[in-house]
Amino acid sequence: MNLIDQLAQAFCCLPGVGPKTAQRMVLYLLERDREGGRHLSAQLALAMEKVGHCRRCRNLTEDETCDVCLAAGRDPGLLCVVESPGDVLAIEHTGHYRGYYFVLMGTLSPIDGIGPGELGIDELVARAADGVGEVILALASTVEGEATMHYIAEALKGRDVSVTRIAQGVPLGGELEFVDGGTLSHALSGRKAIQGD
Amino acid sequence: MNLIDQLAQAFCCLPGVGPKTAQRMVLYLLERDREGGRHLSAQLALAMEKVGHCRRCRNLTEDETCDVCLAAGRDPGLLCVVESPGDVLAIEHTGHYRGYYFVLMGTLSPIDGIGPGELGIDELVARAADGVGEVILALASTVEGEATMHYIAEALKGRDVSVTRIAQGVPLGGELEFVDGGTLSHALSGRKAIQGD
């Protein structure tokens, strides 16, 4: 196999990239942006080598402790538990959360050999005892997410910390008729008074 | 900027990859496929360094002469002129062409400083004199493509070689009502007898 085909095959490891897209990427870089290709190669090698996990929140970072954990002015009483680094970015992007995070890097999945140890639940419990007033569970409402939230809530039972989960309901701008039944049931049972409370 | 953001930015040089997709690619590689990321980095560096142009047909290759030009059993009387390496792959994929290629690596575009010299038209004319019976122009029917085909046809005028262009008409499986007017006009004026010729 020649170098062009080998490179196209290597691109296929990326999510959402099939053989056709990979070929387009390879030809584009070779014909028009070799400098960009070299830069991408160097950055890839560097990141794969240097990026590890934050020792406080387990998020991805090239330092011992990540930027969020080091940031000044955050509320040490709030700890938001998420599944992955992408969730941290999504929540940070809202600009409405000023506490800290704990990144599980997965959900409980015994069949894949992912238990409480792999998710660092013990570290989470220790962290929650360290001046945290509220643990916010921000996991997806999937079977694995629900099981993981249940496990964490149980592990924190009896400790001096309140455990909450993010609201479930209809998304902003969502037409009711296109919302699935499960979400609609949750939105109904979780209704809030807006007058005459 | 940290390594994760730098890598995401480097991914944005790829066609069709914006900041969101780039972030997804970076997190995917860091969380689940570091080996794939390292492999991609190595292949990228290698290809950007080693891949050059075939000295016979100007196609991309890491060797002096490309696989197609070296292949035995091809018809030396046929020379297909295309715009880019992607076009060679597309025609090869059909399996219906057994001649050789000449890759212009662009089309005439004086405003971008691309003239006959950059496209290797002199090499093409010399090549056509070397036992070629038919030069097939397989360029897109854009303004630049038409101008380039016209220029090549003029350059080959008076030489002992026939010059053809690929057929224009309705695509296979294309509903007539969705075909644009220009294509339909070409298809009508280029009609072929199927009976009583």
Side-chain angles (χ1 to χ4, degrees):
Chain A
M1 199 157 54
N2 63 40
L3 284 181
I4 297 173
D5 293 342
Q6 280 177 34
L7 178 55
Q9 207 169 68
F11 265 118
C12 288
C13 79
L14 295 172
V17 176
K20 279 250 171 186
T21 310
Q23 183 193 301
R24 194 159 66 97
M25 289 173 167
V26 172
L27 293 180
Y28 175 85
L29 290 179
L30 286 172
E31 287 173 51
R32 297 194 210 166
D33 194 7
R34 296 218 180 199
E35 201 37 65
R38 277 187 214 104
H39 178 67
L40 175 57
S41 166
Q43 289 292 343
L44 254 177
L46 205 62
M48 294 302 125
E49 184 65 35
K50 301 275 185 205
V51 173
H53 294 280
C54 170
R55 61 175 179 173
R56 250 177 91 78
C57 73
R58 292 167 52 101
N59 198 0
L60 292 169
T61 176
E62 74 246 40
D63 304 311
E64 252 192 44
T65 312
C66 75
D67 296 346
V68 175
C69 286
L70 288 176
R74 284 190 170 253
D75 182 352
L78 282 177
L79 187 66
C80 181
V81 180
V82 294
E83 194 183 316
S84 75
D87 300 333
V88 173
L89 292 174
I91 295 176
E92 284 295 287
H93 194 70
T94 67
H96 281 122
Y97 179 69
R98 298 299 301 167
Y100 291 96
Y101 293 93
F102 190 88
V103 186
L104 299 172
M105 300 300 293
T107 45
L108 287 177
S109 177
I111 213 166
D112 301 315
I114 302 179
E118 281 70 27
L119 301 183
I121 307 278
D122 287 348
E123 299 165 46
L124 170 57
V125 171
R127 176 81 187 277
D130 186 20
V132 171
E134 179 180 354
V135 171
I136 303 167
L137 302 177
L139 275 68
S141 301
T142 56
V143 174
E144 296 84 3
E146 293 287 344
T148 309
M149 288 195 277
H150 182 75
Y151 188 94
I152 295 173
E154 284 295 313
L156 290 171
K157 201 170 256 180
R159 315 245 164 187
D160 188 22
V161 61
S162 72
V163 180
T164 58
R165 63 178 289 172
I166 55 172
Q168 295 178 294
V170 293
L172 265 65
E175 298 272 2
L176 277 205
E177 59 174 318
F178 301 124
V179 171
D180 67 289
T183 302
L184 213 47
S185 305
H186 270 286
L188 272 171
S189 65
R191 65 189 180 278
K192 280 183 173 182
I194 53 173
Q195 225 167 49
D197 193 9
Chain B
M1 200 157 53
N2 62 41
L3 284 181
I4 296 173
D5 293 341
Q6 281 178 32
L7 179 55
Q9 207 168 67
F11 265 116
C12 288
C13 78
L14 295 172
V17 176
K20 279 249 171 187
T21 310
Q23 183 193 303
R24 194 159 65 98
M25 288 172 167
V26 171
L27 293 180
Y28 175 86
L29 290 179
L30 286 171
E31 287 172 53
R32 299 195 209 165
D33 195 6
R34 297 219 179 197
E35 201 36 66
R38 277 187 214 104
H39 179 67
L40 176 57
S41 166
Q43 289 292 342
L44 254 178
L46 206 62
M48 294 303 123
E49 184 64 35
K50 302 275 186 203
V51 173
H53 294 281
C54 171
R55 60 174 180 173
R56 251 176 90 77
C57 74
R58 293 167 50 103
N59 198 359
L60 291 168
T61 176
E62 74 245 39
D63 303 313
E64 252 191 44
T65 312
C66 75
D67 296 347
V68 175
C69 286
L70 287 174
R74 285 191 170 251
D75 183 351
L78 282 176
L79 186 65
C80 182
V81 180
V82 295
E83 192 183 318
S84 74
D87 300 333
V88 173
L89 293 174
I91 295 176
E92 282 297 287
H93 195 72
T94 67
H96 281 123
Y97 179 69
R98 297 301 300 167
Y100 291 96
Y101 295 93
F102 190 88
V103 186
L104 299 172
M105 300 301 293
T107 45
L108 287 177
S109 178
I111 212 166
D112 301 316
I114 302 180
E118 282 71 28
L119 302 183
I121 308 278
D122 288 347
E123 299 166 47
L124 169 59
V125 171
R127 176 82 187 276
D130 187 21
V132 171
E134 179 180 354
V135 171
I136 303 168
L137 301 178
L139 275 66
S141 300
T142 56
V143 174
E144 295 84 4
E146 293 288 344
T148 310
M149 288 195 278
H150 183 75
Y151 187 95
I152 294 173
E154 284 295 313
L156 290 171
K157 201 171 255 180
R159 315 247 164 184
D160 188 21
V161 61
S162 71
V163 180
T164 57
R165 63 178 289 174
I166 54 172
Q168 294 178 295
V170 293
L172 266 64
E175 298 273 1
L176 278 205
E177 61 174 316
F178 301 124
V179 172
D180 67 291
T183 301
L184 214 46
S185 305
H186 270 287
L188 272 171
S189 63
R191 65 191 180 276
K192 282 184 170 180
I194 54 172
Q195 226 166 45
D197 195 7

